[in-house]
Amino acid sequence: MNRRAVVLFCGGGGSSLGIEQAGISTIGFDHWAPAVAVHNAAGMDARHHDLSDDGDSALFRLSDLMDKEIPQTPLLWASPPCQPFSPAGNREGSDDKRDGWPWTLRIVAKRLPDVFIAENVQGMTYDGEPAQYLARIVTSLEELGYGVRWRVLNCADYGLPQIRRRLFIVARRDGGPIAWPTPTHSEIGSTLTKPWVTMAEALGWGAWMQTRTLAGVINSMIRSAPTVTCQSG
């Protein structure tokens, strides 16, 4: 089996690292040269690509030629910029020039990988224009012959020390099943899951924090204790 993957909008290499740890070699593409430099410095292959999708511009024609550098692989991963759909921004959606979905779908149509996975902010699922845009993406993939499923996952439920909810879109063209990972953690833990991992625990500060907390309690008790005066008779 060809264990290779293309990673679009690879950034500094977070997604690539996870894919590499799963035993799949990656080649990343990003429009921001500093991110490509960081990605390569981490020992993972990345290339600079304009990622333009303005069909009337000379820049697009150059970008279209650069698409030929993107190899055919069984897995294609994409992490388009989240700013157009993030609640922390203006949420301009498809009107935002940073929207990377048109280019992403163009590459999917050109390469037709067996499996396509994309991740983005939960804001793409919100009612109104974001949800409608997500529905159009799903339809575009289905028209290319993909079976498509999407779900919002919280990374804290999988042992990471951060409450971070992300939208994942999984599309398969090889007829295989789409299965979601079973959570290994929950907020307070249960018979089937461990408690969420705290940042202190992830950094190895757990025992130190417990010691500091105990010391703080003892010092607080000492400071608040009444003063007893003994007089000799």
Side-chain angles (χ1 to χ4, degrees), residues 115 117 147-151 153 158 168-172 174-183:
V115 180
I117 303 177
V148 186
R149 298 288 185 275
W150 64 264
R151 182 175 292 188
L153 302 178
Y158 300 92
F168 287 86
I169 303 171
V170 180
R172 297 196 67 157
D174 60 355
I178 296 175
W180 300 100
T182 301

Side-chain angles (χ1 to χ4, degrees), residues 62-93:
L62 174 62
S63 179
D64 192 48
L65 290 173
M66 293 174 69
D67 286 351
K68 294 180 173 59
E69 298 180 10
I70 300 175
Q72 178 80 44
T73 57
L75 170 62
L76 191 151
W77 178 289
S79 300
C82 63
Q83 294 93 335
F85 306 96
S86 174
N90 295 326
R91 298 181 63 186
E92 296 178 346

Side-chain angles (χ1 to χ4, degrees), residues 9 31 79-104 119-131 133-134 136-137 166-167:
F9 299 98
H31 60 291
S79 300
C82 63
Q83 294 93 335
F85 306 96
S86 174
N90 295 326
R91 298 181 63 186
E92 296 178 346
S94 59
D95 293 329
D96 194 314
K97 293 182 178 180
R98 294 168 294 185
D99 177 23
W101 281 102
W103 181 77
T104 298
E119 61 88 18
N120 213 282
V121 289
Q122 183 181 5
M124 286 196 72
T125 68
Y126 293 170
D127 290 341
E129 170 58 23
Y133 194 74
L134 174 58
R136 293 197 294 271
I137 292 171
R166 301 291 285 188
L167 164 68

Side-chain angles (χ1 to χ4, degrees), residues 197-216:
V197 177
T198 66
M199 184 62 72
E201 291 169 337
L203 294 174
W205 293 356
W208 181 82
M209 288 292 290
Q210 291 176 0
T211 302
R212 297 292 294 180
T213 301
L214 178 60

Side-chain angles (χ1 to χ4, degrees), residues 5-230:
V6 162
V7 181
L8 306 181
F9 299 98
C10 63
S15 297
S16 298
L17 179 60
I19 297 171
E20 294 264 353
Q21 289 176 340
I24 303 172
S25 63
T26 63
I27 175 172
F29 294 86
D30 202 278
H31 60 291
W32 196 39
V36 173
V38 170
H39 197 287
N40 285 323
M44 297 177 292
D45 190 11
R47 317 286 174 83
H48 186 256
H49 192 303
D50 171 66
L51 313 190
S52 173
D53 202 67
D54 181 0
D56 296 327
S57 70
L59 197 60
F60 168 77
R61 289 190 289 273
L62 174 62
S63 179
D64 192 48
L65 290 173
M66 293 174 69
D67 286 351
K68 294 180 173 59
E69 298 180 10
I70 300 175
Q72 178 80 44
T73 57
L75 170 62
L76 191 151
W77 178 289
S79 300
C82 63
Q83 294 93 335
F85 306 96
S86 174
N90 295 326
R91 298 181 63 186
E92 296 178 346
S94 59
D95 293 329
D96 194 314
K97 293 182 178 180
R98 294 168 294 185
D99 177 23
W101 281 102
W103 181 77
T104 298
L105 293 173
R106 187 180 88 214
I107 299 303
V108 172
K110 284 185 174 183
R111 294 294 176 265
L112 293 177
D114 292 338
V115 180
F116 168 66
I117 303 177
E119 61 88 18
N120 213 282
V121 289
Q122 183 181 5
M124 286 196 72
T125 68
Y126 293 170
D127 290 341
E129 170 58 23
Q132 294 170 13
Y133 194 74
L134 174 58
R136 293 197 294 271
I137 292 171
V138 171
T139 298
S140 296
L141 292 169
E142 291 175 339
E143 290 174 346
L144 292 172
Y146 287 92
V148 186
R149 298 288 185 275
W150 64 264
R151 182 175 292 188
V152 174
L153 302 178
N154 183 357
C155 70
D157 292 339
Y158 300 92
L160 295 180
Q162 184 182 42
I163 300 173
R164 186 177 181 85
R165 296 177 177 86
R166 301 291 285 188
L167 164 68
F168 287 86
I169 303 171
V170 180
R172 297 196 67 157
R173 201 169 182 271
D174 60 355
I178 296 175
W180 300 100
T182 301
T184 57
H185 294 67
S186 59
E187 185 170 4
I188 61 174
S190 69
T191 56
L192 299 177
T193 58
K194 300 176 182 178
W196 280 348
V197 177
T198 66
M199 184 62 72
E201 291 169 337
L203 294 174
W205 293 356
W208 181 82
M209 288 292 290
Q210 291 176 0
T211 302
R212 297 292 294 180
T213 301
L214 178 60
V217 170
I218 294 173
N219 288 331
S220 177
M221 292 174 63
I222 292 174
R223 286 194 299 269
S224 60
T227 300
V228 178
T229 302
C230 296

